[in-house]
Amino acid sequence: MQKDQFSDLQENVQHGNFMMPFAQYVTWLPWSFANFPIHWHKEVEIIYVENGSCEINMGLQQYELKKGDIVIVQPYALHSLKQLKKESGCCFSWVFDLNMLSYGITDACYVKCFKPFIEGQFSYVPVISEGMKGYKQLKEILLELHQVWDEKKEYIELDIKWRLGKLFSCLVEDFFLRRKENLEQKKENTTNVKIVIDYIHEHYQNSITIAELADLLHFSEPYFMRYFKRHTGVTSVDYINDFRMNKAVELLMNTENSIMEIAIQVGMHNISYFNRLFKKKYEMTPKEYRKKYQEEFQKRRE
């Protein structure tokens, strides 16, 4: 995978800090967000569904997650998370740089475990569920990480590093297998999808046509539409509109711009169509969404 490309898809968030590149997040669906769009980052991400359900797109495949499910996201892998239908959910996620567990490229752990994992040489079940061999131990380690993070003891770095080591030992022993199949086609498909999504993220404020997107990959329009839907689970039009709605929410929460100004800023000059799409996704108008967010923000401050 070409790691220097597709910078607009990269999540520009620092997880942890230079001394400890590790962070824990708690996400409440749909209150934290209803849909976190496709992105990638150089860190590993582990997701544990604490309650409810949600849907993840990982490796260009969709999976429905239920309470107790665990997902391991490789570095540089495209992935997204969203609300499953109208159900709620709560997820813990841990994001960390594998470099904090090794001593350089000559370290045995890096050579035998981390490098093959980063390069996709290991295969493993995409969703680890209760009842699978090794699941109980893996879940216990993740809940220990959650407790250590919350306690914030003086030597938290040692506690976290020790448990991450245990976690990867569990993964290698019970879940990781060396791949035998050819990965070239999968890499090509991932690259193609990244090119298209990167273009959408750069040009969402302007009009985007199917012909433009198809030309990026030198595909015909009908083939492109089938290709994109097959590898992302949504049509290109739905993806563009969904991305624009996410940007609109950011503007509603962080600016005082009018609804018309926001619609234009996200590339939608038809205010009626903008309002209709927004209400379809969030079950309220942009004006109602802004008011609800401001009220909830005020409650938190009180």
Side-chain angles (χ1 to χ4, degrees), residues 35 37-38 196-214 216 224-225 228 232 234-248 266-268 273-274 277 281:
N35 182 0
I38 291 179
V196 174
I197 293 177
D198 187 41
Y199 184 88
I200 292 170
H201 288 197
E202 286 183 7
H203 298 89
Y204 73 93
Q205 294 176 309
N206 306 317
S207 174
I208 300 175
T209 67
I210 299 298
E212 287 177 64
L213 300 180
L216 293 172
F224 167 77
M225 289 188 288
F228 191 89
T232 65
V234 297
T235 68
S236 53
V237 172
D238 285 343
Y239 182 87
I240 293 168
N241 287 336
D242 196 65
F243 185 77
R244 285 171 169 163
M245 292 303 102
N246 288 335
K247 289 295 182 181
V266 300
M268 306 191 74
Y273 184 53
F274 171 77
L277 286 179
K281 179 173 181 178

Side-chain angles (χ1 to χ4, degrees), residues 87-106:
E87 300 178 25
S88 60
C90 175
C91 298
F92 294 157
S93 57
W94 298 268
V95 185
F96 58 95
D97 192 327
L98 272 175
N99 288 326
M100 68 182 290
L101 300 181
S102 71
Y103 297 95
I105 60 174
T106 59

Side-chain angles (χ1 to χ4, degrees), residues 100-101 103 156-166:
M100 68 182 290
L101 300 181
Y103 297 95
I156 183 176
E157 296 86 356
L158 282 174
D159 281 344
I160 287 177
K161 193 168 183 177
W162 172 48
R163 283 169 175 80
L164 289 178
K166 285 174 59 181

Side-chain angles (χ1 to χ4, degrees), residues 260-271:
M260 175 64 82
E261 289 173 330
I262 290 174
I264 293 173
Q265 283 180 276
V266 300
M268 306 191 74
H269 294 263
N270 185 325
I271 188 65

Side-chain angles (χ1 to χ4, degrees), residues 105-232:
I105 60 174
T106 59
D107 174 49
C109 292
Y110 181 83
V111 173
K112 296 173 67 174
C113 301
F114 303 148
K115 186 173 184 289
F117 172 65
I118 293 171
E119 294 179 350
Q121 295 176 26
F122 285 132
S123 65
Y124 55 92
V125 290
V127 180
I128 301 171
S129 300
E130 188 173 1
M132 293 182 178
K133 180 186 176 185
Y135 170 85
K136 183 178 179 181
Q137 182 185 4
L138 190 61
K139 177 182 174 180
E140 288 175 353
I141 296 170
L142 292 177
L143 294 182
E144 286 176 11
L145 274 173
H146 175 59
Q147 182 178 353
V148 167
W149 180 260
D150 282 352
E151 289 177 348
K152 294 290 192 299
K153 293 182 178 179
E154 183 178 0
Y155 298 104
I156 183 176
E157 296 86 356
L158 282 174
D159 281 344
I160 287 177
K161 193 168 183 177
W162 172 48
R163 283 169 175 80
L164 289 178
K166 285 174 59 181
L167 183 143
F168 262 86
S169 178
C170 177
L171 289 173
V172 170
E173 182 176 349
D174 294 320
F175 298 102
F176 287 175
L177 293 173
R178 285 280 183 178
R179 289 186 184 275
K180 296 180 180 179
E181 70 270 22
N182 191 324
L183 299 178
E184 290 308 310
Q185 186 59 54
K186 184 175 180 180
K187 288 182 179 179
E188 181 181 346
N189 291 334
T190 299
T191 297
N192 285 341
V193 170
K194 283 184 173 181
I195 289 171
V196 174
I197 293 177
D198 187 41
Y199 184 88
I200 292 170
H201 288 197
E202 286 183 7
H203 298 89
Y204 73 93
Q205 294 176 309
N206 306 317
S207 174
I208 300 175
T209 67
I210 299 298
E212 287 177 64
L213 300 180
D215 284 345
L216 293 172
L217 305 181
H218 308 292
F219 290 167
S220 68
E221 291 181 43
Y223 181 76
F224 167 77
M225 289 188 288
R226 294 194 301 271
Y227 184 92
F228 191 89
K229 175 72 180 292
R230 182 167 70 249
H231 292 296
T232 65

Side-chain angles (χ1 to χ4, degrees), residues 43-104:
E43 298 88 357
V44 181
E45 181 171 2
I46 301 175
I47 300 170
Y48 171 72
V49 183
E50 166 67 13
N51 216 332
S53 58
C54 58
E55 182 177 315
I56 190 170
N57 182 312
M58 185 174 66
L60 306 182
Q61 296 290 327
Q62 285 76 43
Y63 303 97
E64 294 186 359
L65 306 180
K66 63 182 184 302
K67 179 179 179 179
D69 284 347
I70 298 169
V71 178
I72 313 295
V73 182
Q74 291 173 270
Y76 306 100
L78 284 174
H79 59 287
S80 64
L81 188 70
K82 69 178 182 179
Q83 182 183 16
L84 178 61
K85 299 174 183 176
K86 295 183 180 180
E87 300 178 25
S88 60
C90 175
C91 298
F92 294 157
S93 57
W94 298 268
V95 185
F96 58 95
D97 192 327
L98 272 175
N99 288 326
M100 68 182 290
L101 300 181
S102 71
Y103 297 95

